[in-house]
Amino acid sequence: MGVTIMMIEHDMEMVMSLTEYITVINFGAKISEGVPSFVQDDPVVIEAYIGSDEDDEDE
């Protein structure tokens, strides 16, 4: 259709169900982009938004 809609949202269940292509931005920098299944499993996205086990060791 030639239509692009930009949605800024943190409800990931909604984002994954509504979108065909996602760009993930963290602190103003693009860290991942692609279809929802790719972005959801991207280790860079997981670390940025969930953290890693190493983050727990620093506390």
Side-chain angles (χ1 to χ4, degrees):
M1 291 177 60
V3 175
T4 299
I5 297 173
M6 181 177 170
M7 174 173 61
I8 300 170
E9 181 57 63
H10 291 95
D11 180 340
M12 296 315 301
E13 186 175 334
M14 181 176 67
V15 170
M16 295 298 171
S17 68
L18 290 177
T19 58
E20 295 176 8
Y21 195 84
I22 299 171
T23 300
V24 180
I25 298 172
N26 189 31
F27 291 103
K30 179 174 66 173
I31 61 171
S32 184
E33 66 181 329
V35 296
S37 59
F38 172 79
V39 171
Q40 187 173 12
D41 294 333
D42 187 336
V44 176
V45 173
I46 293 169
E47 182 161 347
Y49 283 89
I50 297 174
S52 66
D53 290 336
E54 292 174 4
D55 292 338
D56 293 339
E57 293 172 5
D58 292 339
E59 293 177 0

